[in-house]
Amino acid sequence: MSPTYRIASIPGDGIGIEVVAATIQVVEKLAKTLKTFDIEFTHIPWGTAYYKEHGRYVSEDVLDTLRGFDATLFGAVGAPDVPDHISLWGLLLAIRGPLQLYANVRPVRTFPGTKCPLNTVSSGGIDWVLVRENSEGEYSGQGGRSHLRQPWETATEVAIFTRVGIERIMRFAFETARSRPKRLLTVVTKSNSMRNGMVLWDEIAAEVAKDFPDVTWDKMLVDAMTVRMVAKPQSLDTIVGTNLHMDILSDLAAALAGSIGVAPSSNLDPTRKNPSLFEPVHGSAFDITGKGVANPVATFWSAAEMLSWLGEKDASKKLMGCVERVCAAGILTPDLGGSATTQGVVDAVCKEIEGLST
Ligand code: NAI
Ligand code: MG
């Protein structure tokens, strides 16, 4: 009997709603065609409309609700009339930390149909995996504000780095590097000017590296890393860093690979105690919401990563093959210079999927 996966679908806001709907069509088509697994999506309405009605972005039993599923497919959160720190903490950060989805994995590859803007790469383009610490660091939410509206108004934002938190992400990154042909890991810190937490990162990297003698690794300061990504992209493969540093570097990486519209991400609990969450890197993109032109490829790729995490590696590969063939055929949304609509891309990918059965 083929397994059935139960997926929580949280489209959220803006184009999140459009790209998740597109992805559900494609994944359901894949399941129906391959017949090797079943998949059921359950719609969860959390987002800004829910917030305006209930005064909160998620229901009170958010964690138990999500624990009832095998994984979550997430769109995006953010609306023009709600401050971004309210929406982000209200929804996405209310899930990532409490569910201990501590590894944020962002593969970055120059995709057929996209163009790497660098003239420093060979024709193969970029192929990296960025691993972002996703549970602590600069985004721990520690800090506060005092002396409100006084000239000496004060705000603190305290970064938290723990041995447990650093060691587990470091092991995950070394394992990721080991699973790739180059077996190459770059550890990003800022241990010259940040002399506590970042020095602990460096120390733990050196300790963990001893358990991975088959992985070559090096260290970079984050500012110099931006230069290396642009000037010597071929010298990189797997990259690990803190929550803040990798948030920024992964947007740079997505832009270097061609477009944020194709960049996927996985928020993983590698212990598998909690269901992991899969989402495109991009946000809710108010500027194109409702126009039917959002690129669904980042969410397709995120769903492929989800299938792979659930154990459906073959289905995942086949889905990516179909998406790549559609992009290579020039069926592209306007962000990639094409004229296709979101639904046009969905239809083309579904047609490729139909072809898998013959
Ligand atoms: P954004 O990623 O929403 O948009 C940046 C630019 O890229 C826009 O010009 C947009 O049209 C374009 N773009 C993004 N995704 C695209 C796609 N799939 N197809 C075609 N074009 C695409 O980032 P922005 O504008 O900084 O943020 C908008 C809202 O989204 C804010 O409220 C922000 O807080 C939120 N946000 C949420 C994220 C999440 O839920 N994980 C991540 C990033 C931003
Ligand atoms: Mg970001």
Side-chain angles (χ1 to χ4, degrees):
M1 224 181 70
S2 53
T4 299
Y5 301 108
R6 299 191 59 244
I7 309 300
S9 145
I10 310 178
D13 296 334
I15 65 163
I17 297 168
E18 301 167 28
V19 293
V20 167
T23 301
I24 291 174
Q25 291 181 59
V26 160
V27 174
E28 284 181 341
K29 180 80 182 177
L30 185 74
K32 250 188 226 142
T33 306
L34 297 181
K35 297 190 178 68
T36 49
F37 68 96
D38 287 318
I39 196 154
E40 286 170 20
F41 289 92
T42 302
H43 176 76
I44 298 184
W46 299 334
T48 299
Y50 186 95
Y51 169 71
K52 286 180 178 163
E53 196 182 331
H54 298 92
R56 45 186 304 151
Y57 264 88
V58 295
S59 64
E60 259 166 68
D61 57 355
V62 46
L63 302 182
D64 284 338
T65 300
L66 294 181
R67 285 190 182 111
F69 294 93
D70 296 309
T72 300
L73 183 65
F74 182 79
V77 63
D81 52 351
V82 178
D84 286 340
H85 68 278
I86 304 278
S87 56
L88 198 64
W89 279 95
L91 181 41
L92 199 50
L93 297 184
I95 297 171
R96 278 182 182 164
L99 283 188
Q100 288 294 294
L101 307 180
Y102 67 80
N104 189 312
V105 184
R106 300 182 164 194
V108 177
R109 199 146 45 80
T110 312
F111 213 69
T114 62
K115 237 176 133 184
C116 176
L118 298 177
N119 53 18
T120 40
V121 292
S122 65
S123 56
I126 284 172
D127 183 4
W128 299 333
V129 175
L130 280 70
V131 177
R132 165 180 173 189
E133 202 297 315
N134 212 27
S135 67
E136 54 175 37
E138 307 85 347
Y139 296 176
S140 304
Q142 291 255 357
R145 292 179 64 169
S146 314
H147 316 303
L148 296 184
R149 284 174 294 282
Q150 302 293 344
W152 53 94
E153 181 165 2
T154 306
T156 57
E157 197 73 54
V158 182
I160 303 278
F161 300 100
T162 66
R163 179 168 281 279
V164 168
I166 302 166
E167 187 173 340
R168 66 187 183 180
I169 196 66
M170 205 59 79
R171 285 196 182 280
F172 181 87
F174 270 96
E175 272 156 22
T176 304
R178 177 181 265 170
S179 73
R180 291 170 53 85
K182 283 194 180 165
R183 299 191 171 202
L184 174 64
L185 176 68
T186 300
V187 178
V188 177
T189 65
K190 186 64 185 167
S191 51
N192 53 349
S193 38
M194 297 171 73
R195 59 188 185 175
N196 301 300
M198 295 290 80
V199 173
L200 184 60
W201 264 74
D202 280 354
E203 287 171 12
I204 291 174
E207 284 169 31
V208 171
K210 291 192 189 125
D211 293 337
F212 295 84
D214 52 335
V215 174
T216 309
W217 74 287
D218 58 15
K219 287 192 297 191
M220 288 298 290
L221 298 175
V222 65
D223 42 353
M225 185 64 174
T226 60
V227 178
R228 180 166 165 195
M229 286 168 72
V230 172
K232 288 191 179 162
Q234 241 71 53
S235 73
L236 296 165
D237 189 73
T238 306
I239 304 165
V240 65
T242 71
N243 217 328
L244 170 66
H245 290 162
M246 295 309 276
D247 189 5
I248 299 166
L249 292 186
S250 62
D251 273 25
L252 173 62
L256 293 179
S259 166
I260 188 125
V262 303
S265 80
S266 308
N267 297 265
L268 304 178
D269 172 1
T271 70
R272 293 186 183 265
K273 282 190 199 131
N274 289 298
S276 294
L277 180 148
F278 300 82
E279 54 164 343
V281 168
H282 65 73
S284 45
F286 332 125
D287 53 335
I288 56 165
T289 298
K291 297 192 172 145
V293 294
N295 191 341
V297 168
T299 317
F300 293 166
W301 191 350
S302 304
E305 295 291 323
M306 177 177 81
L307 289 173
S308 178
W309 181 251
L310 292 171
E312 299 299 328
K313 293 216 161 42
D314 179 58
S316 170
K317 257 201 200 124
K318 284 184 170 145
L319 173 56
M320 287 310 288
C322 291
V323 176
E324 286 178 18
R325 284 195 292 282
V326 165
C327 291
I331 302 169
L332 304 167
T333 44
D335 56 304
L336 297 179
S339 59
T341 60
T342 309
Q343 192 59 41
V345 176
V346 170
D347 293 343
V349 171
C350 284
K351 207 157 159 225
E352 279 294 327
I353 292 172
E354 272 168 25
L356 293 172
S357 64
T358 57

